[in-house]
Amino acid sequence: QVQLQQSGAELVKPGSSVKISCKASGYTFTSYDMYWIKQQPGNGLEWIGWIYPGNGNTKYNQKFNGKATLTADKSSSTAYMQLSSLTSEDSAVYFCARAMGINFDYWGQGVMVTVSS
Amino acid sequence: DVVLTQTPPTLSATIGQSVSISCRSSQSLLDSDGDTYLNWLLQRPGQSPQLLIYSVSNLESGVPNRFSGNGSETDFTLKISGVEAEDLGVYYCMQATHAPLTFGSGTKLEIK
């Protein structure tokens, strides 16, 4: 069955970077877009960007240009998102989601990133 | 960016009651390809969101048929015909017609 297993919670210092992962299984990793979505505590959802692992193509929400970098490793069927120059505004839960078109049919369990000194 | 306004923000329902959630868009979501990319998601407490309805009215596989969606252009509705206990959570509309993809602010469904 399709599964997206995300890495564990992160506690990071302001100004640093963090790289979180999303390991896919149960389907052909290179055939579907992988989206990344941000959810701040008590807030709604915000689209960060997507990557197509088949060729590495990416598209970002302009708001996250320079903040998020999406990559994918076909050999391990794992998608990654690196967040840089972290501030308290980056404290959130980050989800990966497989997309069939723009329909997010499978989601990871989410990774909580806490930015604190 | 397209703003999706959901009403009501909170909804309280008894088991078996039918409820509706509205999602109003700041721009028409009818794409030039003829499709309307408006989806509905449910996020149960402590869980990841899940897809309920795609392209306005299409039920995602495995989703109970008490859920239905309709609407066009800028006005959309999600209806639950006979709320069940497992339906509690936050409902989001989402559009992908215009970049960037955006979400509504959510409607929290509580069970009385």
Side-chain angles (χ1 to χ4, degrees):
Chain A
Q1 72 280 24
V2 174
Q3 287 191 330
L4 300 177
Q5 183 64 42
Q6 295 189 244
S7 47
E10 299 272 4
L11 173 59
V12 293
K13 294 193 182 310
S16 68
S17 297
V18 68
K19 191 171 186 177
I20 61 181
S21 65
C22 172
K23 182 171 176 58
S25 60
Y27 73 98
T28 303
F29 177 64
T30 51
S31 296
Y32 294 80
D33 293 331
M34 190 72 79
Y35 278 65
W36 290 85
I37 293 105
K38 177 182 181 182
Q39 185 169 40
Q40 288 181 292
N43 285 3
L45 303 163
E46 201 168 13
W47 170 61
I48 298 170
W50 58 255
I51 184 167
Y52 183 65
N55 57 17
N57 281 356
T58 56
K59 185 174 178 72
Y60 295 91
N61 182 337
Q62 275 194 325
K63 177 179 177 180
F64 292 91
N65 273 334
K67 170 63 66 178
T69 303
L70 304 182
T71 56
D73 178 2
K74 289 189 278 190
S75 67
S76 63
S77 297
T78 303
Y80 298 92
M81 178 173 67
Q82 179 161 321
L83 300 169
S84 60
S85 303
L86 292 166
T87 73
S88 59
E89 284 301 302
D90 299 314
S91 292
V93 176
Y94 293 89
F95 294 100
C96 60
R98 188 185 86 159
M100 170 82 79
I102 56 89
N103 301 333
F104 305 148
D105 56 358
Y106 289 91
W107 292 66
Q109 80 275 22
V111 175
M112 179 169 288
V113 174
T114 304
V115 182
S116 174
S117 53
Chain B
D1 296 0
V2 172
V3 176
L4 298 177
T5 302
Q6 286 185 235
T7 55
T10 305
L11 198 48
S12 186
T14 55
I15 301 298
Q17 183 180 351
S18 292
V19 298
S20 292
I21 298 169
S22 170
C23 176
R24 186 160 290 178
S25 174
S26 60
Q27 299 179 39
S28 172
L29 299 183
L30 177 61
D31 194 72
S32 55
D33 66 4
D35 207 340
T36 300
Y37 297 104
L38 186 285
N39 295 355
W40 289 96
L41 309 171
L42 164 62
Q43 186 173 29
R44 295 187 172 97
Q47 295 188 18
S48 305
Q50 69 170 101
L51 179 64
L52 297 176
I53 302 272
Y54 62 93
S55 297
V56 180
S57 59
N58 296 280
L59 201 63
E60 172 69 354
S61 175
V63 174
N65 60 12
R66 64 179 178 274
F67 291 94
S68 62
N70 62 48
S72 62
E73 303 270 1
T74 60
D75 287 292
F76 304 92
T77 302
L78 174 71
K79 182 176 181 180
I80 310 173
S81 300
V83 166
E84 299 193 4
E86 66 181 19
D87 299 338
L88 74 93
V90 181
Y91 290 80
Y92 295 96
C93 56
M94 180 205 96
Q95 70 81 26
T97 298
H98 303 284
L101 184 159
T102 53
F103 297 86
S105 52
T107 294
K108 185 176 183 179
L109 175 63
E110 300 171 339
I111 306 298
K112 286 181 189 174

